[in-house]
Amino acid sequence: MSDDIELKFRHVSGDIGPIKVPGSSSILQVKELVFAQWPKDGPVSADKASAPPELRLILGGKFLAESETLNDLRPAMGEIKADTIVTMHVIVRAAPAGKPQGKEKKEQQQGCSCSIQ
């Protein structure tokens, strides 16, 4: 019996995969594979992440932690046979807006503010 798990990723604009992944892979490694195989054209291509950590994977209604492995999640996947394809949902989460970068960070530290009248 192979340790590989065939995964398909459902995005609001379409599906990605299936991709065959070793069961020992971490969710971060799975995100890196999905990021590398993200479609370059079609509806899904419009919502590409800029880095793998921006991808959020969901299985059984639960956001998956990057440190979990696919083998850890086998109970949530049900019985996996040779022809089983496990579907996960994938969403793109933009970088947090509350953490300013570069010049914005410097301006914020200097006490910039806005007022609406």
Side-chain angles (χ1 to χ4, degrees), residues 16-93:
I16 301 165
I19 302 170
K20 196 170 271 200
V21 183
S24 60
S25 300
S26 70
I27 294 303
L28 178 59
Q29 291 170 318
V30 173
K31 287 180 179 184
E32 290 167 349
L33 286 170
V34 173
F35 181 78
Q37 295 190 23
W38 199 270
K40 296 185 182 7
D41 56 353
V44 179
S45 67
D47 192 26
K48 183 172 181 173
S50 60
E54 289 183 4
L55 298 176
R56 298 288 308 257
L57 300 182
I58 304 167
L59 176 66
K62 177 185 163 211
F63 284 102
L64 304 180
E66 290 184 343
S67 60
E68 290 180 290
T69 67
L70 292 176
N71 285 333
D72 295 338
L73 300 169
R74 280 186 183 268
M77 294 181 200
E79 184 180 356
I80 299 175
K81 298 179 182 176
D83 61 345
T84 301
I85 297 175
V86 176
T87 300
M88 293 184 180
H89 289 83
V90 60
I91 59 173
V92 177
R93 177 187 62 181

Side-chain angles (χ1 to χ4, degrees), residues 3-30:
D3 182 48
D4 290 348
I5 300 172
E6 201 155 1
L7 302 172
K8 178 170 62 174
F9 301 91
R10 178 130 313 149
H11 182 271
V12 70
S13 299
D15 292 344
I16 301 165
I19 302 170
K20 196 170 271 200
V21 183
S24 60
S25 300
S26 70
I27 294 303
L28 178 59
Q29 291 170 318
V30 173

